[in-house]
Amino acid sequence: MNKPAVRTRFELLFEGEGRNAGRYRTDVIVHRRARVVESFHLPTDEGKIIGGDGTAPYPLAYFVSALTGCLTTHLRSFSERLDIPLRHMTVNVSCRWEARQADDALYESAPIKFTVDVDLGDDMPEADKRRLVAAARKGCFVEQSLKPGIVRHRLKSGDGWIDLG
Amino acid sequence: MNKPAVRTRFELLFEGEGRNAGRYRTDVIVHRRARVVESFHLPTDEGKIIGGDGTAPYPLAYFVSALTGCLTTHLRSFSERLDIPLRHMTVNVSCRWEARQADDALYESAPIKFTVDVDLGDDMPEADKRRLVAAARKGCFVEQSLKPGIVRHRLKSGDGWIDLG
């Protein structure tokens, strides 16, 4: 991976086309709109245990992968840009939501807390770890789209964890 | 699908384990934590066109599928609960982000606008369409996790679109 030049400003556009025919499964095609269009078939379903057909992942499973992958992508990219050597890393994410009854038929939902535990290995100085995670959070398109204050990060340091807030 | 009873309050917990070994690809396993655990392998990568290996979808492609699928799931579920007949539906989502240069190496990102176009078919009265979309938005775990004001919905009505804000 060559170190990419930073442009002053750029935009990203992703579009999804969802079709649902009567049960919980939704066929979603997602397009990355750029000079070259790239498309992905990412259907969603609910598990049989809660009334779906279990033919595809839950929407919230995709959500958690998006948050996990977007942060690791920025940790990787920004480590190159900052000349901070980084080999293996592990990012574990936990997302908890609640739903409360709104009336006798419906519920309203809300996020409770999302935690992101980042392990950048034992070789990197703690100051570099903190700098890299802080930068990657600001670059992460998914985290920057979320309600402020939901996401908390923890950083592996030696045998313990540092709460970064 | 039987009409499920509404519980007063419930929680959902999804956890992701992400492992990255040196390039942009991240192997993510997502677990739905409930009495029965369900797990999904949802790896992410960047396209070759921007320095990745193109072995898996972009994190933001998963994000768009999550938003699309979570809303359609709630439209389907709540149509049953509200006894509003609903057959085929189409939900098209557009998510636009920007990134601005932070210094000579990094950028900071932000959402610009997410639009959600909902087509519930020609048979449903407009009042029911509005009621159903309003309820599904409040139930949608993904939309309720996003920064307020980013997501705008439009409702198909006849040959045109109604902006729901």
Side-chain angles (χ1 to χ4, degrees), chain A residues 1-2 4 6-24 26 28 30 32 35-36 38 40 42-52 56-70 72-74 76-78 80-82 86-112 114 135 137-148 150, chain B residues 1-2 4 6-24 26 28 30 32 35-36 38 40 42-52 56-70 72-74 76-78 80-82 86-112 114 135 137-148 150:
Chain A
M1 286 186 297
N2 294 325
V6 176
R7 289 167 285 168
T8 306
R9 179 181 179 279
F10 64 91
E11 291 191 5
L12 293 179
L13 176 60
F14 283 76
E15 293 184 327
E17 300 174 322
R19 303 209 180 307
N20 178 293
R23 293 181 61 79
Y24 282 132
T26 299
V28 186
V30 182
R32 179 176 185 271
R35 192 172 51 75
V36 175
E38 297 168 272
F40 305 89
L42 298 172
T44 73
D45 200 349
E46 298 291 295
K48 289 183 181 178
I49 206 164
I50 53 174
Y58 292 90
L60 296 182
Y62 284 138
F63 176 88
V64 170
S65 177
L67 177 57
T68 309
C70 195
T72 56
T73 297
H74 283 87
R76 176 64 58 202
S77 170
F78 287 4
E80 302 274 337
R81 294 174 183 210
L82 293 170
L86 170 63
R87 298 178 65 189
H88 296 273
M89 65 175 143
T90 304
V91 175
N92 291 338
V93 172
S94 170
C95 294
R96 188 182 293 274
W97 289 271
E98 67 173 352
R100 290 178 181 274
Q101 189 165 340
D103 57 34
D104 59 1
L106 306 174
Y107 61 77
E108 297 182 1
S109 66
I112 297 176
F114 300 167
R137 292 179 73 167
K138 290 179 184 167
C140 175
F141 295 95
V142 175
E143 180 167 344
Q144 294 306 316
S145 301
L146 301 178
K147 277 182 177 161
I150 308 177
Chain B
M1 285 186 296
N2 295 325
V6 176
R7 288 167 286 168
T8 306
R9 180 181 179 280
F10 65 91
E11 291 192 4
L12 293 179
L13 175 61
F14 284 75
E15 294 184 326
E17 299 173 322
R19 303 209 182 305
N20 178 294
R23 292 181 61 79
Y24 282 131
T26 299
V28 186
V30 182
R32 179 176 184 271
R35 191 172 52 76
V36 175
E38 297 169 273
F40 303 89
L42 298 172
T44 72
D45 201 349
E46 298 292 295
K48 290 183 181 178
I49 206 165
I50 53 173
Y58 291 90
L60 295 181
Y62 284 137
F63 177 87
V64 171
S65 176
L67 177 57
T68 309
C70 195
T72 57
T73 297
H74 283 86
R76 176 62 59 201
S77 169
F78 287 4
E80 302 274 337
R81 293 175 183 210
L82 293 169
L86 170 62
R87 296 178 66 188
H88 297 272
M89 65 175 143
T90 303
V91 174
N92 290 338
V93 171
S94 170
C95 295
R96 190 182 292 274
W97 289 270
E98 68 174 351
R100 289 179 182 274
Q101 189 165 338
D103 57 33
D104 58 2
L106 305 174
Y107 61 77
E108 297 182 0
S109 66
I112 296 176
F114 300 167
R137 291 179 73 166
K138 290 179 184 168
C140 175
F141 295 95
V142 175
E143 180 168 344
Q144 294 306 317
S145 302
L146 301 179
K147 278 182 177 161
I150 308 177

Side-chain angles (χ1 to χ4, degrees), chain A residues 99-136:
Chain A
R100 290 178 181 274
Q101 189 165 340
D103 57 34
D104 59 1
L106 306 174
Y107 61 77
E108 297 182 1
S109 66
I112 297 176
K113 190 167 74 171
F114 300 167
T115 59
V116 179
D117 289 346
V118 179
D119 183 352
L120 300 174
D122 295 329
D123 297 335
M124 192 186 295
E126 189 187 307
D128 283 347
K129 288 183 180 177
R130 286 176 177 269
R131 187 160 65 117
L132 182 54
V133 171

Side-chain angles (χ1 to χ4, degrees), chain B residues 114-135:
Chain B
F114 300 167
T115 60
V116 179
D117 289 346
V118 179
D119 183 353
L120 300 174
D122 295 330
D123 298 334
M124 192 186 297
E126 189 188 307
D128 283 347
K129 289 182 180 176
R130 286 176 177 267
R131 187 161 64 117
L132 183 54
V133 171

